[in-house]
Amino acid sequence: MNKENIRLRVNKRDYQLEIAPNRLLLDVLRQDLGLTGSKRGCDDSSCGACTVLVDGEPQMACLMLAVSYQDCEITTIEGIACEGQLEPLQRAFCDEGGAQCGYCTPGMILTARHLLAHNPRPTDQEINEALSGNLCRCTGYVQIIASVRKAIELLEKQESGVAAAGQGG
Amino acid sequence: MSLPSFEVVRPRTLEGALEELERHGPDAQMIAGGTDLVPSLKQGLFSPRVLVDLKGVRELDFIRFDREAGLELGALTTITRLAQSPVVAEYFPVLQAAAKTVASPLLRNMGTLGGNLCLDTRCLYYNQSAFWRESLGYCLKKEGTVCHVAPGSSVCWAVFSGDTAPALMTLAATVRLASPRGEREIPLRELYVNDGWVRLTKRHDEILTAVRIPLSSAGWKGTYKKLRIRNSIDYPLAGVAVAMRWASDGVCQDVRIALTAVNPAPRLVEAAARLKGKRYDPSLVDEVAHEAIRTAKPLRTSASTMEYRRHMVRVFVRRALNEVWANGPHC
């Protein structure tokens, strides 16, 4: 099988790669780019452990042929912390016990990030629905929902802090 | 699991995609969202030499509502976009209800309408690894000679498991198929063949480009009921779509009921005609719900029993009709 020269844009960095066309994005991320935050869980498109953001939208890297996503902005869990500071969702998952074994956590956080970007004040029902494609076998989901709630609080504080600083200046 | 070897071609226009399909013939397969095909490739159910990736054919990604032509949906419309479309929500509620139940949010972000309509049929004895299937001597749908669901059967009983097809059938939708010979438009129900192996009347070099819902179906009340083990991710074990138009006095002017996941093809329930011209009547609803079972022939293609799935067809037809009809005229 002939390899193809492709470019991928992951976490705002451009990569040039020579890969076989049957390589899954999940494998390219983990094996070629060393980004092992995205997990292989079920490998049959059920569990969501491999979730990455494609142009901001959560999708499953275990279903994606890397050669077909060259025009997209891909974000993995490694790409959401800002200047060494954990993102509010990451902090909330730590504080609220949203991660136990941690295997589903990158997918949960990325999916929740998309939810909060489009719906900053979701109801519990909306959080449940948004996360219904990401399976967790440890937490029973209670702490995960609590973590998302906590992240909303942190984000609101951050916003009011920014607004206050703006007024002060 | 790793994928077999193949090349990927990425045309940017419909014309280019048709050329690729023609050039590579039976060696080629189409891929769009990949949610149906990629897991099957991992299981060795297909071994294409070339994948024609349709994601770059942006001309097939649209939702257009025209007051004369009706609603047109491009085949590349993702299920998420379909479920979130304000036009679909307002005028075609049965379609929105069905779209919202497809798989999971992540899969809806990837899966397309065209893919959902052309979904491969599914069976307990087919959607398994190559090792698993080999140990059983394969099956009628793939490499074998015996149908393990119905030994002696000359047709394959794998079920069609799409959710949007039954909803679109209740709205009298048509589909457009493009090929190097030109374009043809057929009623959606004529796209399907009630044999799990044959599946579709679409030819190998044809691309399903769009779905059209006539304006006469706009505004029909409707709903979709789906049986599955988990409330997300799973394919349906049975699905019932109902769409109805009633007059202000509550008399049913027209109605269609369609079933999915209980036959190799999605199918309309003929007994729905008994409701036309009638006022809401619980015993009439029961009668039609009971008759609907005749259209459902689920066999042992899934982990659930056929008795339960058939029973739930009856329950769902009753619930769906009650939901759209009993409360409607009085609200």
Side-chain angles (χ1 to χ4, degrees):
Chain A
M1 184 168 33
N2 291 329
K3 288 191 171 181
E4 260 192 71
N5 268 311
I6 69 158
R7 55 167 205 289
L8 277 183
R9 188 163 166 78
V10 183
N11 300 334
K12 301 199 168 113
R13 260 185 76 180
D14 290 308
Y15 296 89
Q16 291 284 338
L17 298 159
E18 198 177 301
I19 62 161
N22 69 347
R23 297 282 307 284
L24 293 167
L25 179 67
L26 179 63
D27 293 325
V28 173
L29 290 173
R30 292 177 57 84
Q31 295 163 8
D32 299 41
L33 305 186
L35 298 171
T36 54
S38 313
K39 307 299 186 209
R40 167 167 271 125
C42 64
D43 203 25
D44 80 346
S45 70
S46 297
C47 78
C50 63
T51 302
V52 298
L53 298 179
V54 179
D55 296 328
E57 197 176 62
Q59 301 194 3
M60 296 163 112
C62 80
L63 288 175
M64 295 157 64
L65 299 173
V67 294
S68 294
Y69 289 83
Q70 297 185 58
D71 301 328
C72 306
E73 183 84 49
I74 292 157
T75 308
T76 69
I77 191 68
E78 290 91 344
I80 66 164
C82 186
E83 292 169 5
Q85 292 288 310
L86 289 183
E87 206 256 12
L89 273 162
Q90 291 174 302
R91 232 179 324 141
F93 269 71
C94 295
D95 294 348
E96 296 293 314
Q100 287 188 17
C101 89
Y103 211 75
C104 71
T105 313
M108 288 285 178
I109 289 180
L110 290 170
T111 303
R113 191 177 154 96
H114 173 258
L115 169 70
L116 299 189
H118 291 83
N119 181 3
R121 290 176 191 44
T123 62
D124 280 352
Q125 175 69 20
E126 286 169 333
I127 298 173
N128 281 340
E129 274 174 23
L131 294 178
S132 67
N134 294 79
L135 299 182
C136 170
R137 301 285 87 148
C138 303
T139 63
Y141 301 100
V142 174
Q143 294 103 314
I144 289 175
I145 308 298
S147 303
V148 177
R149 283 255 154 264
K150 179 70 183 267
I152 295 167
E153 257 175 56
L154 292 175
L155 283 162
E156 280 174 355
K157 262 190 215 153
Q158 215 175 50
E159 263 173 46
S160 59
V162 169
Q167 282 165 5
Chain B
M1 277 183 276
S2 58
L3 295 172
S5 295
F6 48 72
E7 271 178 66
V8 180
V9 293
R10 298 184 291 277
R12 295 282 163 179
T13 60
L14 175 61
E15 203 186 335
L18 290 169
E19 275 170 22
E20 294 287 0
L21 277 184
E22 195 179 23
R23 178 177 316 139
H24 300 290
D27 288 338
Q29 257 181 302
M30 282 179 267
I31 182 167
T35 55
D36 188 32
L37 183 64
V38 174
S40 296
L41 287 171
K42 288 181 185 178
Q43 296 182 323
L45 293 172
F46 301 104
S47 42
R49 207 171 51 72
V50 177
L51 286 185
V52 180
D53 179 3
L54 299 176
K55 273 190 295 294
V57 185
R58 301 320 306 169
E59 67 196 275
L60 299 184
D61 184 10
F62 61 86
I63 296 179
R64 279 196 290 260
F65 189 49
D66 183 295
R67 301 219 164 260
E68 278 171 22
L71 183 71
E72 274 190 286
L73 303 159
L76 276 187
T77 306
T78 63
I79 305 296
T80 294
R81 291 255 238 111
L82 188 62
Q84 291 175 347
S85 158
V87 170
V88 171
E90 186 172 353
Y91 297 107
F92 309 98
V94 63
L95 180 57
Q96 190 202 34
K100 282 167 88 170
T101 72
V102 173
S104 75
L106 302 170
L107 290 159
R108 292 197 289 273
N109 288 342
M110 306 180 74
T112 62
L113 177 61
N116 198 249
L117 294 179
C118 295
L119 212 59
D120 193 8
T121 50
R122 301 184 63 80
C123 178
L124 196 56
Y125 296 92
Y126 172 68
N127 299 97
Q128 300 286 355
S129 68
F131 174 77
W132 193 104
R133 288 181 288 113
E134 186 194 359
S135 67
L136 205 65
Y138 299 106
C139 78
L140 191 60
K141 183 162 163 75
K142 176 76 181 164
E143 292 168 274
T145 52
V146 176
C147 172
H148 301 294
V149 165
S153 170
S154 59
V155 297
C156 166
W157 286 93
V159 289
F160 177 79
S161 305
D163 295 300
T164 57
L168 285 164
M169 277 163 63
T170 65
L171 299 171
T174 55
V175 288
R176 275 211 287 274
L177 301 165
S179 75
R181 297 174 299 281
E183 197 181 65
R184 62 186 178 120
E185 185 165 336
I186 58 169
L188 175 60
R189 70 188 139 74
E190 289 177 17
L191 178 67
Y192 299 104
V193 180
N194 205 34
D195 175 332
W197 187 76
V198 182
R199 302 196 297 121
L200 302 175
T201 56
K202 184 181 85 62
R203 297 181 193 107
H204 187 270
D205 62 352
E206 285 181 315
I207 297 178
L208 192 159
T209 56
V211 177
R212 197 170 62 79
I213 307 175
L215 198 67
S216 56
S217 296
W220 287 40
K221 305 294 170 205
T223 191
Y224 180 70
K225 302 287 174 197
K226 174 170 175 171
L227 176 69
R228 49 181 163 176
I229 308 279
R230 301 174 289 194
N231 251 334
S232 183
I233 303 171
D234 288 349
Y235 284 98
L237 295 167
V240 173
V242 166
M244 183 188 278
R245 185 164 60 93
W246 27 254
S248 54
D249 59 359
V251 168
C252 168
Q253 292 174 313
D254 210 348
V255 59
R256 289 191 201 95
I257 302 170
L259 311 182
T260 191
V262 286
N263 292 296
R267 297 185 65 185
L268 285 163
V269 174
E270 283 175 22
R274 297 186 194 180
L275 301 170
K276 276 188 210 175
K278 303 280 171 51
R279 269 174 213 281
Y280 174 71
D281 169 3
S283 63
L284 183 60
V285 167
D286 277 347
E287 183 190 315
V288 171
H290 182 69
E291 280 299 307
I293 297 177
R294 288 178 196 273
T295 313
K297 279 209 169 43
L299 296 182
R300 211 159 51 82
T301 54
S302 72
S304 187
T305 65
M306 48 201 204
E307 290 83 1
Y308 180 50
R309 286 158 70 204
R310 209 164 40 215
H311 176 69
M312 288 310 288
V313 164
R314 180 178 182 173
V315 171
F316 281 161
V317 170
R318 191 171 60 220
R319 281 186 197 164
L321 282 171
N322 282 338
E323 193 178 309
V324 298
W325 200 14
N327 305 321
H330 316 294
C331 294

